[in-house]
Every structure is written in C-alpha cells, then in structure tokens.
C-alpha cells in the first residue's frame, strides 16, 4: 500500500513529507504515488474499482484496468493515465471525477515520470530535472532537489581564534565563509610564494573548519597532497598552476564532500581522471592546460554525466 503523511492540499498542489536527502527520494513512492492517492483513489481503490483499475497500490498501477495497462514507459502521450488527467475538464473521459482536478504541476510531474521511463525504483538524482520540474518541486512540494553543501548540513565548533591569528601572521588569509558561520575559507597571501609542506601542516589543527582551500600557484607538489587529503570537509579546492601529477590526485579520495576542483595548468593526465571519477560529490572540474585527452575526458563524462568540465573553451555538459 502507498502510505504518505499528507500535509496540505490547495489549488497549487500537494505538500508532502519527503526525505531530507534528495538521494533518498524514490520518485514514484515519494512523489507520484501521493498524487494518485490524493486525487484518484476515491474511484480506484480496493473497494471501488471503476474500470477494473486500482490506483491505491503499486501493483494496481502496473497492471492497469479492463482495457489493459495505463502507462507506456517513456511515452506519456501514449499512456492512458496521462491522457485522462490532461483532457479538458468537460470531456466525458476526464479524470478525476470525485476530487479536484490535478494541478498543472501534478500533471507535469506524472508526465515527467512516465517520459523518464516510469520506473518504480528510480531515485530523484537519477532523473533529469528540467527547470520547470524544479520549479514545481519548489512550489508545490516546498522542496529543493539540489543537495545542500556539506557546510549547510553539518555544524562545527568555532576554530580557536588564537590559532587563526597565528596563521594570519604566517601569511594565510583566513576568512569566515559567511556571517555567523564557523566554516572558513583559506588562501595564501602574496607573502608566500612557495608553500612548504611544513607550513601547510600548520592548517591541520583547524581542518574541520576549512571548507574552501586555495593553494593555487604556490609550488604545491604530490607530497603536499598527502596533507590536503586530510581536510575532509573541503567542498572547494584550487590546486591550479602547480606541479601536481596523477600520483598526488589519488590522495584526494577521502574528500567525499568536494564539489569544485581546479586543476588548471597541472600535470594530471587521463590516469588521474580515474581517481577523480570516484569523487561522487564533484560538480565542477577545471582541466584546461593539463595532459588529459579528449578520450579521457569523454570517459569521465560517461561515468559522471552531471559533472561540469571546463576544458578552457566552454563548460561541457551532457
């Protein structure tokens, strides 16, 4: 049975309790089934089975009614369910009859689900979310499908102010990420032309607070990467204009929240891209003036289709 906690029903649509993490949202169970329950089950349930159609269970939706299946995978306009809910309200075959019509947003969500393959297991991150669908999710469900960055989800205690002052005296520019935030953005000043591994290690006592780290153009090497890999709260990392190779990139595998990685003008090759493909949270990657090839980048795109890759000419996105 479909069991949902209904919150609000109005002319704009239905607000439901959805999992906080978009990765946990099963599109049919959490988004489509509640619409069917709210609008269709007065006529199509285990007791009232008009047209031999039961829409109160997943099995009933799959089986269809007296005239066969009501859903054709990938073809909303060939699906009887979509045809009935999108007919003019005065049409004799328009559905539903006993409740208010589906909102434009609800109809659009059902069409989106059917055109996306009508899978009963697919999760929200695996569905293409177009701008209009994202708008419906925000308006009708009060729900943002985009995962929140690490620093908006997890709290961290404030860094020791004396440690921050000491780091600033040594040439680090340490700033709060936002007002009233304990997370920090760190980069080096012009006073530091070459960043030694020993000086980089001075940041480790406040590593839990650092989520943006800019080490660009400071002669950072593969040896430094062993330290960088310990900053597990990083969401943005700039390593551009440094002699970093594939050997150094493999030390970043622990950065499970990393969303943006700048490798402009480094020695990374296609071998390093294999390590990058394991950074599941990565959204943006800067690769211009590297030893990577078009073939290597294409393979990375296939394994990470949502990743934006800047090759120096334009963002490529499938």
């Amino acid at each position: 049975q479909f069991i949902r906690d209904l919150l609000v029903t109005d002319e704009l649509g239905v607000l439901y309790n959805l999992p906080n993490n978009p990765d946990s949202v099963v599109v049919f169970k959490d988004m489509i089934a509640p619409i069917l329950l709210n609008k269709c089950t007065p006529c199509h349930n285990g007791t009232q089975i008009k047209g031999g159609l039961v829409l109160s269970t997943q099995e009933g939706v799959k089986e269809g009614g007296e005239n066969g299946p009501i859903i054709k995978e990938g073809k909303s306009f060939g699906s009887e369910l979509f045809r009935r809910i999108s007919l003019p309200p005065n049409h004799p075959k328009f559905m539903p009859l006993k409740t208010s019509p589906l909102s434009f947003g609800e109809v659009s969500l059902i069409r989106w689900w059917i055109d996306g393959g009508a899978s009963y297991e697919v999760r929200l991150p695996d569905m293409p979310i177009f701008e209009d669908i994202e708008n419906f999710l925000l308006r009708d469900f009060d729900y943002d499908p985009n995962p929140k960055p690490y620093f908006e989800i997890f709290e961290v205690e404030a860094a020791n102010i004396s440690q921050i002052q000491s780091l600033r005296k040594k040439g680090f520019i340490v700033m709060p990420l936002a007002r009233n935030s304990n997370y920090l953005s760190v980069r080096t000043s012009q006073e530091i032309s070459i960043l030694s591994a020993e000086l980089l290690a001075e940041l480790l006592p406040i590593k839990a607070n650092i989520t943006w780290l800019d080490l660009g153009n400071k002669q950072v090497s593969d040896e430094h990467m062993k330290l960088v890999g310990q900053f597990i709260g990083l969401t943005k990392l700039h390593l551009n204009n440094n002699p970093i190779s594939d050997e150094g990139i493999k030390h970043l595998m622990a950065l499970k929240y990393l969303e943006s990685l700048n490798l402009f003008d480094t020695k990374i090759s296609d071998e390093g891209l294999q390590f990058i493909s394991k950074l599941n949270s990565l959204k943006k990657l800067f690769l211009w003036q590297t030893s990577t090839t078009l073939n290597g980048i294409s393979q990375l795109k296939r394994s990470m289709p949502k990743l934006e890759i800047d090759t120096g000419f334009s963002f490529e996105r499938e």
Side-chain angles (χ1 to χ4, degrees), residues 163-177 184-192 195 199 203 206 210 212-215 218:
Q163 290 178 326
I164 293 178
Q165 291 173 344
S166 175
L167 290 168
R168 286 171 175 166
K169 290 179 180 178
K170 293 177 181 179
F172 289 105
I173 300 173
V174 184
M175 300 295 293
L177 194 62
L184 303 172
S185 167
V186 176
R187 58 189 176 90
T188 56
S189 68
Q190 294 183 351
E191 298 173 8
I192 302 177
L195 179 66
L199 186 55
L203 293 173
I206 63 167
I210 300 175
W212 291 3
L213 181 60
D214 186 348
L215 303 178
K218 298 297 177 181

Side-chain angles (χ1 to χ4, degrees), residues 115-184:
D115 287 339
S119 168
Y120 294 89
E121 291 78 31
V122 67
R123 296 182 182 274
L124 187 56
D126 299 322
M127 285 282 287
I129 301 178
F130 310 110
E131 184 177 358
D132 58 340
I133 295 300
E134 184 168 334
N135 289 336
F136 293 138
L137 293 175
L138 288 169
R139 187 196 69 181
D140 294 0
F141 288 75
D142 192 26
Y143 188 74
D144 187 349
N146 301 304
K148 293 183 182 298
Y150 170 83
F151 52 82
E152 290 187 14
I153 300 174
F154 301 101
E155 296 182 359
V156 65
E157 293 184 3
N160 186 291
I161 189 64
S162 62
Q163 290 178 326
I164 293 178
Q165 291 173 344
S166 175
L167 290 168
R168 286 171 175 166
K169 290 179 180 178
K170 293 177 181 179
F172 289 105
I173 300 173
V174 184
M175 300 295 293
L177 194 62
R179 182 178 296 180
N180 300 322
S181 173
N182 290 332
Y183 284 99
L184 303 172

